Amino acid sequence: MTHKKHFKLYKSGKKWCIMAITVAAMAFGMAGVQNASADEVSNGASTTEVTNDSNANSVVNTGSQTADQSTAASENNNQSSANSTASLADQNNTNNSSATEQNGQVNNQQQVAEPANGTLTISSQTVAKHSATTDTDQQNGWYKNSNGEWTYYTNGQVQSGRRYAYLPTITANGTGSGYNWYLVDNGVVQSGVQKWANTYYDFDSTTYLRVDNNYVRSQWGDWYMFGPDGRIATKVYKWAGTYYYFDPVTYLRVDNNYVQSQWGDWYMFGPDGRIATKVYKWAGTYYYFDPVTYLRVDNDYRQSQWGDWYLFGGDGRIMTGVHRWMGSVYYFDPVTYLRVDNAWREGLYFGADGRLVNGGFATRVINWFLQREGRLTYSMYGSRTGADGTADCSGSMTAALRSAGASAPQIIYSTETLHGYLLNNGYYLAYEGRGPVSLRYGDVIIWGHKAASIGGNGHTMVVTGTGDYQTVISTSYLTEGEHGTAVQEVYYNNYWDDDDQPYQYVYRLINPARN
């Protein structure tokens, strides 16, 4: 019979102690077991691990297993004796074990009384306190990595993918009180301009919160507008007491351009992006934008932001030269754009209120057409003069000249025969050819080479406006015969270009002031 000595751990007061247990075994029963002494200690590989289970706190000696294998065999044969002693120590430890779970975080706390120097004493041996994180001691909440990025953990794991989540508030030191919404990508909180849910948002680089209703600079340097719900703004948007326009493709602010809004109207935006009002220079000319509606003003006489008055035409452009407004004819200086009073211009005299005083003959020719706007339908096969509600260009011009005081026509003239009628009634040929021409108020124009202008190959009209944007009026097929739309006033240069710049004859009154 041999004796085996084993050691068991138990607690006495505030110290952990070792007691020796002797177990008898028959020699022949252990013949197949390697002989080893249980009180031999292998100091080279001995460590101590503090664990926490459902029964008790314990300190387990995890030394060299080769020395313990024979001891384990003896313990199995004498389990009742060993267990009766060990349970005493374990019973005390049971009351000292605690696992606390709060807010999804598990905290494992050792309830072992320890000396102030942070070591556990086992008999005469001193073992360093275990410092490794246990399996249940996992990261939860916000942690900052070496790159300064905040990452959110749940039980030591981060959720993969991109999500907009309601999480504990981030502060400079980590988690603060309360919750907020954050955009996270694989657990890392995002800042700056970010794509989410098929649009873009901006998240503050300090608080990481979504930015609403503000104009901010992105991480790549460009500026963008974000609306009240955080989404990136496009087209017309009100901010800081005015309106701006943001390109729907690039999302950048549009400067110094005339663009169409999301509701269909057009607006002008200035060099700083703000919506333009009153007189504004764009594309080489000037326009006026109403200070209330912000819309372009057409065919009106308006006061500028500096007090002067200007006339703006049918397409909004500022007018120069002779032009008609509110039933009267005025002249606007080609340099200052201001109305000219008490002066002669282009052979005509304009009085103290700017209105044309003379030039009655030319005005009467023009008025014949103005009085029939909306009333005539184009046709070369009716009366041609408007007598039956239909007319063509040369028949209308014959009737207009006659109403102004020209001699009685022998026939209803065509673009082929009208030349002679004009020469016989105080006109002279001022220009012919295909080049650009400077027109005068009351000039009569015939398109198409002589002997080749009959029917649809020719056209005739009278000049109603001069200067930068010359206008003419005539009975035309521009609306393709639509009822009541034959009389049209248009910009001459555009009209001429659209018809492939036909050969032109310009007839001018010898005395423009003729009444």
PDB file of all heavy atoms in Angstrom, residues 57 76 88 258 321 338 480:
ATOM      1  N   ASN A  57     -16.439  30.726  -6.847  1.00  0.00           N
ATOM      2  CA  ASN A  57     -15.167  31.249  -7.319  1.00  0.00           C
ATOM      3  C   ASN A  57     -14.085  30.269  -6.906  1.00  0.00           C
ATOM      4  O   ASN A  57     -14.093  29.741  -5.803  1.00  0.00           O
ATOM      5  CB  ASN A  57     -14.867  32.601  -6.682  1.00  0.00           C
ATOM      6  CG  ASN A  57     -15.810  33.661  -7.200  1.00  0.00           C
ATOM      7  OD1 ASN A  57     -16.052  33.728  -8.395  1.00  0.00           O
ATOM      8  ND2 ASN A  57     -16.355  34.470  -6.292  1.00  0.00           N
ATOM      9  N   ASN A  76      -9.778   9.989  -8.689  1.00  0.00           N
ATOM     10  CA  ASN A  76     -10.994   9.344  -9.172  1.00  0.00           C
ATOM     11  C   ASN A  76     -11.379   8.159  -8.308  1.00  0.00           C
ATOM     12  O   ASN A  76     -12.557   7.838  -8.148  1.00  0.00           O
ATOM     13  CB  ASN A  76     -10.816   8.891 -10.616  1.00  0.00           C
ATOM     14  CG  ASN A  76     -10.758  10.084 -11.555  1.00  0.00           C
ATOM     15  OD1 ASN A  76     -11.300  11.129 -11.224  1.00  0.00           O
ATOM     16  ND2 ASN A  76     -10.113   9.916 -12.712  1.00  0.00           N
ATOM     17  N   LEU A  88     -16.571  22.175   1.383  1.00  0.00           N
ATOM     18  CA  LEU A  88     -16.575  23.146   2.461  1.00  0.00           C
ATOM     19  C   LEU A  88     -16.030  24.491   1.978  1.00  0.00           C
ATOM     20  O   LEU A  88     -16.569  25.543   2.297  1.00  0.00           O
ATOM     21  CB  LEU A  88     -15.736  22.615   3.645  1.00  0.00           C
ATOM     22  CG  LEU A  88     -16.287  21.345   4.324  1.00  0.00           C
ATOM     23  CD1 LEU A  88     -15.292  20.873   5.398  1.00  0.00           C
ATOM     24  CD2 LEU A  88     -17.641  21.612   4.946  1.00  0.00           C
ATOM     25  N   TYR A 258     -29.811  81.626 -66.129  1.00  0.00           N
ATOM     26  CA  TYR A 258     -31.266  81.715 -66.203  1.00  0.00           C
ATOM     27  C   TYR A 258     -31.779  80.295 -66.339  1.00  0.00           C
ATOM     28  O   TYR A 258     -31.535  79.624 -67.345  1.00  0.00           O
ATOM     29  CB  TYR A 258     -31.637  82.563 -67.419  1.00  0.00           C
ATOM     30  CG  TYR A 258     -33.090  82.935 -67.549  1.00  0.00           C
ATOM     31  CD1 TYR A 258     -33.771  83.554 -66.515  1.00  0.00           C
ATOM     32  CD2 TYR A 258     -33.773  82.694 -68.737  1.00  0.00           C
ATOM     33  CE1 TYR A 258     -35.111  83.923 -66.656  1.00  0.00           C
ATOM     34  CE2 TYR A 258     -35.101  83.069 -68.887  1.00  0.00           C
ATOM     35  CZ  TYR A 258     -35.764  83.676 -67.831  1.00  0.00           C
ATOM     36  OH  TYR A 258     -37.086  84.044 -67.982  1.00  0.00           O
ATOM     37  N   GLY A 321     -33.401 102.299 -79.829  1.00  0.00           N
ATOM     38  CA  GLY A 321     -33.977 102.736 -81.104  1.00  0.00           C
ATOM     39  C   GLY A 321     -35.459 103.044 -80.949  1.00  0.00           C
ATOM     40  O   GLY A 321     -35.963 103.329 -79.864  1.00  0.00           O
ATOM     41  N   LEU A 338     -31.812 105.059 -72.211  1.00  0.00           N
ATOM     42  CA  LEU A 338     -32.840 105.947 -71.680  1.00  0.00           C
ATOM     43  C   LEU A 338     -33.717 106.502 -72.808  1.00  0.00           C
ATOM     44  O   LEU A 338     -33.274 106.631 -73.960  1.00  0.00           O
ATOM     45  CB  LEU A 338     -32.190 107.107 -70.924  1.00  0.00           C
ATOM     46  CG  LEU A 338     -31.381 106.719 -69.669  1.00  0.00           C
ATOM     47  CD1 LEU A 338     -30.684 107.944 -69.100  1.00  0.00           C
ATOM     48  CD2 LEU A 338     -32.277 106.068 -68.625  1.00  0.00           C
ATOM     49  N   GLU A 480     -49.006  78.589 -89.983  1.00  0.00           N
ATOM     50  CA  GLU A 480     -49.485  77.575 -90.931  1.00  0.00           C
ATOM     51  C   GLU A 480     -50.988  77.653 -91.156  1.00  0.00           C
ATOM     52  O   GLU A 480     -51.693  76.639 -91.217  1.00  0.00           O
ATOM     53  CB  GLU A 480     -49.081  76.177 -90.461  1.00  0.00           C
ATOM     54  CG  GLU A 480     -47.574  76.018 -90.365  1.00  0.00           C
ATOM     55  CD  GLU A 480     -47.164  74.621 -89.931  1.00  0.00           C
ATOM     56  OE1 GLU A 480     -48.025  73.893 -89.378  1.00  0.00           O
ATOM     57  OE2 GLU A 480     -45.997  74.256 -90.156  1.00  0.00           O
TER      58      GLU A 480
END
